[in-house]
Amino acid sequence: MNLMERTEEMMAYAGTLHDELVIIRRDLHSHPELLYDVTRTADIVADLLESWDIEVQRSVGPHFGKGVTGTLRGEAGEGPLILLRADMDALPIHEENDVPYKSLHEGIMHACGHDAHTAMLLGAAKTLSRFRRRIRGSVRFVFQPAEEGAAKSPLDGRLLSGGRDMIEAGILEGVDRCYALHVMPELPVGTLGIHEHYAMAASSHFKIRFTGTPGHHSAPHHAVDALQMATRFVTEVNGLMANKVDPTEAAVLAFGTLQAGTAINVIAAHSELTGTFRAFAKETVAAITDGLRRIGTSIADVAGGSIEMELREGIAVVNDAAEVVRIMSAAVDVLGERQVCTLSPPSLAGEDFGWYLDRVPGAFAFIGCGNAARGIVHAIHQPRFDLDESILVQGARILAKLAVQP
């Protein structure tokens, strides 16, 4: 039996899972969970994988223990170990959609499609499990928490996203290739787009806390103003981005919050700034990180105050050329040649699948979920984001193809 004959029946079977995948996706959408607090979602995923006779590992991750992996060992002989990944966490956004599956958790919403990513990968897992006798090698299904952010490790205090926590658990050991899909409402349903090299930037987060000495406005010489330290930091960091980053390279830094002071006539004892910076080259990320540390430390020293920093460095999502060809081939088989395209330029948004791709060849692609005729046009991370659920079978088919094609 050749590859086409081997996969045609698999693709047909995946199509029969539409209603089941919609039920799964809507249940997850109604019960969104944040960052590492994904116990319900992880239990549903693990229970389903076990029901399909897939070898399951729960509580994956040495720091937080919230991930799930499933391993399917093919029965058609030796072959590669393929990793397929989905993320499980939602966002702190209040949903404004009036749909039967609207979020039941106030202020939390699956506004980035992770409910769909999980459902698509479950569809691929069920399909591949049914046809394991035709699979060479093995498939590792990875369901990851905390893609949307990071938390401080209870073990060593580092800010870690879910991908890094799971990688430190060894999920990439022995893996030959890895893939992930992400919904994109800017692309119409039934299409797939992929970047040939850089796909997304390294998104890095920072939190800076200055501590001074409080005092009355009538005697500023007896105080150390934490608010002034913060404003100096903003000015000097903007200078860092203007003068120390190669102007031909895409990089951006923006502040998100600034909090300081307790009263109109009291010099602030504390201030805190948060923000993000985004770039592609590792050297640029390192240069900005070092600049933040140097500037903050210098300002605190000169003022006579102190500083605490929390910095989480990101990493760019960089697709491997050969794996781009593989994922495009799989998508063409599922969607049709005219429905698959390359994308340019890369996005300055971030995605921690970059940590996987930094260690194992693979590719990260965008599957279209927009449908203007049905009013499904809102971007991710917006309170009215939704998706055309026909992508659930499409994504499951593409992921299953990636697991079996040469």
Side-chain angles (χ1 to χ4, degrees):
M1 181 180 293
N2 60 35
L3 176 64
M4 181 173 294
E5 292 172 333
R6 192 165 75 240
T7 58
E8 278 184 355
E9 191 177 354
M10 291 174 57
M11 297 299 100
Y13 175 76
T16 69
L17 302 179
H18 171 79
D19 290 349
E20 181 178 350
L21 298 183
V22 168
I23 290 170
I24 292 171
R25 181 257 167 171
R26 292 187 177 189
D27 177 67
L28 297 179
H29 191 90
S30 296
H31 300 88
E33 298 175 299
L34 295 175
L35 290 177
Y36 288 102
D37 186 21
V38 292
T39 300
R40 181 183 186 275
T41 304
D43 284 344
I44 289 171
V45 166
D47 289 347
L48 286 171
L49 294 175
E50 286 177 342
S51 74
W52 304 327
D53 294 323
I54 293 173
E55 179 184 322
V56 172
Q57 184 175 358
R58 300 172 186 251
S59 304
V60 179
H63 299 269
F64 295 94
K66 295 294 185 177
V68 176
T69 65
T71 300
L72 177 66
R73 306 184 192 283
E75 299 175 357
E78 296 295 320
L81 172 56
I82 308 299
L83 184 150
L84 305 174
R85 175 272 212 170
D87 32 21
M88 300 186 289
D89 57 320
L91 285 159
I93 293 175
H94 177 71
E95 182 164 11
E96 295 180 1
N97 290 316
D98 184 16
V99 292
Y101 47 90
K102 182 177 180 178
S103 172
L104 298 175
H105 297 172
E106 186 73 20
I108 306 177
M109 176 191 176
H110 269 297
C112 199
H114 295 187
D115 51 343
H117 300 168
T118 298
M120 287 188 290
L121 186 51
L122 287 170
K126 186 171 186 178
T127 299
L128 292 167
S129 175
R130 183 179 179 89
F131 294 91
R132 69 181 71 207
R133 293 182 179 178
R134 302 181 186 179
I135 296 174
R136 298 183 183 277
S138 300
V139 186
R140 181 169 295 159
F141 308 100
V142 172
F143 295 85
Q144 175 199 311
E147 189 284 318
E148 293 291 357
K152 188 177 290 188
S153 166
L155 300 181
D156 56 26
R158 286 183 296 150
L159 285 173
L160 293 175
S161 66
R164 295 186 71 181
D165 189 21
M166 296 191 72
I167 288 170
E168 291 187 16
I171 63 166
L172 296 181
E173 292 178 6
V175 172
D176 294 287
R177 306 193 293 270
C178 63
Y179 305 98
L181 297 179
H182 198 296
V183 299
M184 177 180 277
E186 290 81 6
L187 290 175
V189 65
T191 63
L192 180 135
I194 189 168
H195 295 85
E196 294 180 295
H197 186 51
Y198 280 119
M200 303 180 84
S203 176
S204 302
H205 299 183
F206 59 87
K207 180 184 289 184
I208 311 294
R209 300 184 188 91
F210 289 103
T211 299
T213 303
H216 195 275
H217 281 189
S218 65
H221 56 295
H222 294 310
V224 176
D225 195 334
L227 176 55
Q228 286 197 21
M229 285 190 278
T231 57
R232 289 173 187 163
F233 183 79
V234 171
T235 300
E236 294 196 26
V237 166
N238 285 334
L240 167 76
M241 297 301 294
N243 300 313
K244 297 299 183 181
V245 175
D246 186 340
T248 65
E249 184 172 341
V252 62
L253 181 149
F255 293 93
T257 64
L258 168 57
Q259 299 173 341
T262 58
I264 193 172
N265 60 348
V266 178
I267 291 173
H270 303 279
S271 62
E272 180 179 285
L273 306 101
T274 64
T276 71
F277 61 93
R278 298 148 194 276
F280 291 96
K282 290 182 180 179
E283 297 78 10
T284 302
V285 174
I288 296 172
T289 301
D290 179 65
L292 291 175
R293 293 186 187 278
R294 287 187 294 101
I295 290 170
T297 301
S298 175
I299 288 172
D301 287 346
V302 169
S306 62
I307 185 172
E308 297 175 51
M309 301 187 189
E310 293 180 10
L311 296 168
R312 189 205 83 179
E313 287 190 34
I315 191 168
V317 177
V318 185
N319 286 332
D320 179 86
E323 304 314 320
V324 169
V325 172
R326 279 196 173 98
I327 203 167
M328 291 183 72
S329 174
V332 165
D333 287 347
V334 172
L335 303 174
E337 188 169 359
R338 294 186 178 182
Q339 302 301 102
V340 179
C341 66
T342 56
L343 302 174
S344 183
S347 169
L348 279 166
E351 229 286 355
D352 81 345
F353 194 65
W355 295 107
Y356 296 67
L357 296 176
D358 188 53
R359 293 160 173 79
V360 175
F364 181 88
F366 295 92
I367 184 166
C369 68
N371 189 329
R374 294 179 51 198
I376 301 174
V377 296
H378 297 281
I380 60 173
H381 290 219
Q382 292 190 12
R384 294 189 62 195
F385 167 79
D386 205 350
L387 50 85
D388 186 318
E389 290 172 321
S390 64
I391 69 164
L392 302 178
V393 165
Q394 295 169 2
R397 283 171 166 163
I398 293 168
L399 292 168
K401 275 271 188 181
L402 288 167
V404 298
Q405 69 182 15

